[in-house]
Amino acid sequence: MKKTLLASLALAALAGVAWAADDDKAIQALVDQYIATGYQQGEKQQLERLKQDETLKACSEHRNKPPADLMKAIMEREKATIKYPADNKMMGNWEKGKEVFNTGFGMRVGVIAPDKADKPRGGNCYACHAADPKEVAAGNLGNSLTGYGKMRGNSEETIKYTYEKIFNSQTYMACSNMPRFGHNGVLTPEQVADLVAFLVDPASPVNK
Amino acid sequence: MKKLVLPGLLISSLALTAVYAAEEPNADAYREMTYGDRDANPALLVVDRGEELFKEKRGPKNVSMEECDFGLGKGVVKGVYAELPRYFKDTDQVQDLESRMITCMTTVQGFDAAELKKKTYANEKANEDNTDLEAIAVYIAAQSDGMKINPSLAHPKEQEAIKVGEALFYHRTGPLDFSCASCHGADKQRIRLQNLGNFSKAGPDAQKAIGGWPTYRVSHAAVRTMQHRIWDCEGQMRLPDTEYGAPLSVALIAYLTAQAKDGTYVLPGMSR
């Protein structure tokens, strides 16, 4: 008697766990279905943008707080894909970088006139970061980068870290809120190098 | 002469910088100052036009929208928006105001859904007047002015829509790796000077946002609905255009509205 009761309790508990997992799966299935039907169709819409890579899948599932081993795996995977400028010069021109830092994103699709393909894109970094102290319309989703080079110097390590961080923010922080600008092809390696200069060059207004 | 003017300019621009720096830069104070007078809200004219459209016999079947059920029975508009989104038996779906309007206009009035959805929002860059859909939506919503945000939560499909909406809120995609939570996942965040509500938790931010939509957006010189807001934010995420009233946007709205429960509708709203 006791045995059967215990066994059935254990079964019920198991079923409960299985039910919760099934529930998550059912929700995820609806998420996928709603995404498939939730956007206007057609070539102009570039629906391939809706496809997640492994990293974004993990970040979504864990709400940007994946367990430690997964974090490590993400950072290693992301780091392995970084591309460097042709001459390996990771520090470019700060004046050009100033422009890229300020310019809005580009990359629009759909009914709003898509960006001209030949127009250089920007990083819209002020959306999230303060940098040049003269720019007051700076957001706060990211930390302030004012005085970045003054504080960190312009050693080779700093330059390399900054380049890699901007090219692929998730190499140093899994599931960072910051877009992977180089990885996703929003900015070119040369533009990233110019941004590095804007942040670390002592002549840049960021460090005045 | 030149010498005299320059220092003056310099000083005033310095003073401006100092003012900005003293407080957290913020567009809210300006907003409260400018948008205080509710009787001066230009959305009220759009509400009037929406009422006419609502009551007029229209469509191939030549009936008015008073023949439609928005959740509280045929012909009832007062208070319906306050309880949306909700599950509707006839469509076996959770619907927000705007997807329900499409159901009504197709099944009751006989309009063609694809035709209706061809032009959902006025283009503010071309200085267009609000579309009929926008006008009807703000008319219906305004009939819940002053009421509690009280979405229906009893039906399992309503619970499900909220859960799916929550998962979508954290779903990252697109060239900028964004999800809604990238911008609306923490307190007191800003994109440049625009304050971003934290909708990852229930309470004031969600209540203020949901409670004030549909809203007259001064920067668009037009009334905007929640479907438009979702479409607009999806565009900021550099994703394709959302399909008007599809389950994706409805689930997001169901989640946001659940987060806003017990707030108050102040309609029509007015914002930047």
Side-chain angles (χ1 to χ4, degrees):
Chain A
M1 179 61 204
K2 214 175 174 188
K3 240 187 189 166
T4 37
L5 186 68
L6 261 182
S8 63
L9 270 179
L11 257 179
L14 267 177
V17 171
W19 184 79
D22 276 357
D23 201 36
D24 282 354
K25 258 196 210 147
I27 296 296
Q28 189 55 45
L30 286 172
V31 164
D32 295 340
Q33 186 192 324
Y34 289 5
I35 288 171
T37 57
Y39 298 89
Q40 293 176 30
Q41 308 291 307
E43 209 173 296
K44 249 178 63 185
Q45 297 287 347
Q46 298 189 15
L47 294 165
E48 66 276 9
R49 291 184 178 202
L50 300 172
K51 211 167 167 273
Q52 286 181 314
D53 64 11
E54 283 304 304
T55 295
L56 289 190
K57 225 178 245 167
C59 295
S60 303
E61 187 191 338
H62 296 282
R63 306 214 167 147
N64 299 322
K65 292 184 194 77
D69 52 336
L70 191 51
M71 262 192 198
K72 196 161 159 267
I74 289 173
M75 292 193 283
E76 277 168 10
R77 177 171 62 223
E78 296 299 316
K79 187 155 186 159
T81 63
I82 293 186
K83 292 195 177 58
Y84 297 89
D87 50 7
N88 219 24
K89 229 183 112 216
M90 282 178 254
M91 173 143 150
N93 172 312
W94 72 259
E95 281 166 305
K96 283 191 196 159
K98 181 180 173 180
E99 188 66 28
V100 181
F101 200 94
N102 186 48
T103 303
F105 279 130
M107 304 296 282
R108 283 207 179 260
V109 284
V111 295
I112 293 209
D115 299 302
K116 292 189 186 72
D118 55 348
K119 194 176 156 202
R121 289 192 281 265
N124 203 11
C125 313
Y126 282 117
C128 298
H129 294 283
D132 181 341
K134 283 204 206 77
E135 177 56 72
V136 291
N140 67 357
L141 285 165
N143 51 320
S144 167
L145 301 172
T146 303
Y148 185 90
K150 246 198 302 201
M151 278 180 300
R152 301 183 192 219
N154 54 4
S155 68
E156 228 166 272
E157 292 93 277
T158 298
I159 289 170
K160 185 157 186 280
Y161 160 77
T162 308
Y163 181 91
E164 291 177 339
K165 178 75 197 173
I166 300 170
F167 193 94
N168 189 330
S169 57
Q170 299 210 30
T171 55
Y172 291 103
M173 185 180 168
C175 301
S176 167
N177 240 344
M178 174 165 148
R180 295 169 293 173
F181 287 101
H183 179 83
N184 292 352
V186 177
L187 300 177
T188 65
E190 288 68 29
Q191 285 180 303
V192 175
D194 291 338
L195 285 167
V196 172
F198 180 59
L199 292 180
V200 306
D201 194 319
S204 159
V206 168
N207 301 313
K208 289 290 168 197
Chain B
M1 182 59 206
K2 217 174 179 187
K3 252 188 193 152
L4 270 175
V5 175
L6 259 179
L9 273 178
L10 249 179
I11 285 166
S12 60
S13 76
L14 271 177
L16 256 179
T17 316
V19 168
Y20 270 110
E23 305 169 32
E24 271 282 281
N26 179 317
D28 256 2
Y30 164 75
R31 195 172 317 191
E32 311 261 293
M33 233 163 54
T34 325
Y35 308 145
D37 184 2
R38 295 192 59 203
D39 294 336
N41 189 339
L44 294 173
L45 294 172
V46 188
V47 169
D48 288 346
R49 182 157 78 82
E51 179 171 13
E52 275 168 31
L53 285 163
F54 186 89
K55 292 183 173 162
E56 198 183 313
K57 291 193 168 106
R58 299 198 319 140
K61 296 189 184 166
N62 199 36
V63 286
S64 93
M65 290 178 79
E66 288 163 307
E67 296 301 312
C68 300
D69 179 5
F70 285 93
L72 297 179
K74 207 189 245 189
V76 181
V77 280
K78 193 163 178 61
V80 294
Y81 188 61
E83 295 186 20
L84 289 170
R86 75 183 317 139
Y87 172 77
F88 288 88
K89 217 171 167 183
D90 55 358
T91 53
D92 189 28
Q93 270 183 347
V94 173
Q95 297 187 285
D96 70 332
L97 171 62
E98 289 163 89
S99 57
R100 188 64 189 171
M101 278 166 42
I102 297 290
T103 299
C104 159
M105 295 169 91
T106 51
T107 60
V108 178
Q109 294 185 303
F111 285 109
D112 177 60
E115 198 62 37
L116 283 176
K117 290 195 228 168
K118 248 187 198 154
K119 178 80 184 171
T120 46
Y121 316 121
N123 178 356
E124 77 274 14
K125 294 198 180 87
N127 242 337
E128 290 174 356
D129 281 339
N130 274 120
T131 62
D132 290 355
L133 288 175
E134 287 171 320
I136 296 166
V138 69
Y139 161 66
I140 298 173
Q143 309 314 306
S144 291
D145 179 35
M147 295 185 185
K148 275 248 155 84
I149 300 173
N150 187 25
S152 178
L153 303 172
H155 196 278
K157 289 225 171 167
E158 289 162 353
Q159 299 285 346
E160 179 189 87
I162 294 165
K163 277 196 196 159
V164 177
E166 182 176 12
L168 285 165
F169 188 83
Y170 289 95
H171 187 89
R172 297 180 67 170
T173 38
L176 302 177
D177 298 336
F178 283 154
S179 71
C180 312
S182 306
C183 295
H184 300 292
D187 291 343
K188 296 198 187 315
Q189 304 274 276
R190 282 182 284 107
I191 285 267
R192 291 233 180 207
L193 296 185
Q194 303 317 319
N195 290 311
L196 302 162
N198 178 1
F199 307 142
S200 70
K201 60 177 194 191
D205 283 12
Q207 289 169 345
K208 201 170 157 216
I210 289 294
W213 283 73
T215 187
Y216 185 81
R217 286 202 66 185
V218 174
S219 57
H220 293 202
V223 170
R224 294 310 191 191
T225 64
M226 208 21 91
Q227 283 287 332
H228 182 276
R229 185 66 253 181
I230 302 285
W231 168 78
D232 192 335
C233 281
E234 296 266 353
Q236 294 192 63
M237 295 159 78
R238 302 303 187 264
L239 295 179
D241 291 310
T242 46
E243 177 73 28
Y244 189 76
L248 172 98
S249 49
V250 174
L252 282 167
I253 292 170
Y255 169 68
L256 293 173
T257 312
Q259 298 289 71
K261 195 172 153 48
D262 296 333
T264 304
Y265 279 112
V266 183
L267 295 174
M270 174 134 56
S271 50
R272 184 181 67 87

